[in-house]
Amino acid sequence: MLPAVQRKFAGHNMLGFFAWVPRWWLVKATTLKPRPQCLPPCNSSMAGDDGSVVRWLYLSLYNWVTFFGWLQVLYHAILALLGGGHEAVYAAVKLPLLFSQTAAIAEIPHSIIGLVRSPISATLPQVCGRILVTWYIVWSFPETQSHVLVTSLVLSWSITEVIRYSFFGLKEAFGITPFWLLWLRYSTFTVLYPIGLISEVGLIFTAMPHMKVSELKKPEAHVAQAQLLNWVTSLTYLGNNFNLQGRSFYICAGLTSLYIPGFPYLYRYMLAQRKKVLSKAKTA
């Protein structure tokens, strides 16, 4: 399991920069007085007060940095899969995967303060589920890292996110959305999202027997794992005031049950978005 209780969680403070800008934006949005509407020559994405410029710069930077992170994940996953089989995939993508997926935590405050249009009801469960699988399941339990489901998980996530972040990167930075990229953004999820979800649930079930072993035979390692699980669940306000040590197996079983109602809700939401966006693009 984990080598020592003192091991630092590499992604715990990774998002200091990404967390600062949303807070700045919220303060500006609630304190600045309205200013006159920009004249026609102004770019609409930069119109208005200084906060609009900061929003444009921040979201452009965020989307492109995260895009290149996921592009590295996809590139190294394909090379490892071709060169050493599925057992070699996780070792090849570990660092860019941890960075890129942890960076998605910033999307929660993005949604809460209205920096983006995604509703928090769709953003929160997806981000927290991925963080749980990335850090507590795959990173914490080496027994899962050579599983074939890691490959399907990494490929489905990385393909989806390379398309998504390039789409929003072009939209935010340059104000362009090519139709072929728009179609990929709102179509590939129909196949990749179920593959990713099945991979997530399968890896959780793969790790669960090892949680019991960790609790009984390696209590020091389990303390660190419980602390990590407490941090992950605190994102959903489930674990702030609870000691999760000795309860990891049951917590994961409970969280996994949330996939049952969560999958239909998110899938229907994305299908509705696909119909709305593509119909609008065709009539434009």
Side-chain angles (χ1 to χ4, degrees):
M1 306 302 175
L2 298 178
V5 178
Q6 294 79 13
R7 183 172 182 176
K8 300 294 183 181
F9 302 141
H12 193 73
N13 295 315
M14 189 179 294
L15 296 176
F17 172 75
F18 290 133
W20 175 82
V21 175
R23 290 198 298 269
W24 187 94
W25 171 265
L26 181 60
V27 172
K28 295 284 283 186
T30 57
T31 58
L32 285 180
K33 295 180 180 180
R35 294 177 61 180
Q37 187 176 359
C38 244
L39 295 175
C42 291
N43 188 309
S44 60
S45 64
M46 299 180 63
D49 58 32
D50 294 341
S52 296
V53 178
V54 174
R55 176 192 179 279
W56 174 76
L57 289 172
Y58 168 71
L59 288 180
S60 298
L61 177 63
Y62 172 79
N63 283 302
W64 284 115
V65 168
T66 314
F67 162 77
F68 283 112
W70 280 111
L71 188 62
Q72 286 189 63
V73 174
L74 180 59
Y75 173 74
H76 290 296
I78 293 174
L79 288 184
L81 185 61
L82 296 176
H86 70 268
E87 296 89 350
V89 169
Y90 183 74
V93 305
K94 179 179 178 180
L95 292 180
L97 175 65
L98 292 176
F99 168 78
S100 301
Q101 190 54 67
T102 306
I105 295 176
E107 296 183 12
I108 297 175
H110 291 177
S111 180
I112 292 174
I113 68 177
L115 202 59
V116 296
R117 295 181 180 179
S118 301
I120 190 62
S121 59
T123 301
L124 186 65
Q126 184 173 16
V127 171
C128 291
R130 285 190 173 193
I131 292 294
L132 173 72
V133 172
T134 300
W135 281 102
Y136 184 69
I137 300 300
V138 182
W139 183 74
S140 296
F141 294 93
E143 296 84 357
T144 64
Q145 294 173 7
S146 60
H147 201 287
V148 67
L149 288 177
V150 171
T151 300
S152 58
L153 180 82
V154 168
L155 290 177
S156 62
W157 281 4
S158 59
I159 293 172
T160 298
E161 302 298 29
V162 164
I163 294 171
R164 184 165 75 99
Y165 285 109
S166 62
F167 173 81
F168 286 114
L170 288 173
K171 182 178 180 180
E172 291 294 339
F174 307 108
I176 59 174
T177 53
F179 181 78
W180 62 269
L181 188 57
L182 178 74
W183 186 89
L184 288 175
R185 164 74 180 95
Y186 289 98
S187 299
T188 53
F189 79 87
T190 57
V191 175
L192 295 176
Y193 183 61
I195 292 175
L197 182 135
I198 292 171
S199 302
E200 291 176 34
V201 174
L203 287 169
I204 292 174
F205 280 116
T206 300
M208 285 175 70
H210 302 289
M211 296 176 192
K212 286 287 190 179
V213 175
S214 175
E215 292 172 10
L216 296 174
K217 296 184 178 181
K218 297 185 178 181
E220 290 187 357
H222 177 64
V223 170
Q225 292 166 352
Q227 291 173 345
L228 178 57
L229 182 59
N230 193 30
W231 173 68
V232 172
T233 54
S234 69
L235 294 173
T236 58
Y237 306 100
L238 294 175
N240 288 327
N241 300 313
F242 296 95
N243 177 14
L244 300 182
Q245 185 177 348
R247 302 182 179 91
S248 301
F249 180 92
Y250 304 103
I251 293 294
C252 282
L255 291 176
T256 304
S257 67
L258 298 178
Y259 279 84
I260 298 174
F263 171 72
Y265 169 78
L266 290 174
Y267 201 71
R268 285 196 300 266
Y269 168 77
M270 291 186 290
L271 286 174
Q273 285 294 105
R274 180 182 188 273
K275 180 178 180 181
K276 176 182 176 181
V277 171
L278 293 184
S279 297
K280 184 178 179 181
K282 290 178 180 178
T283 58

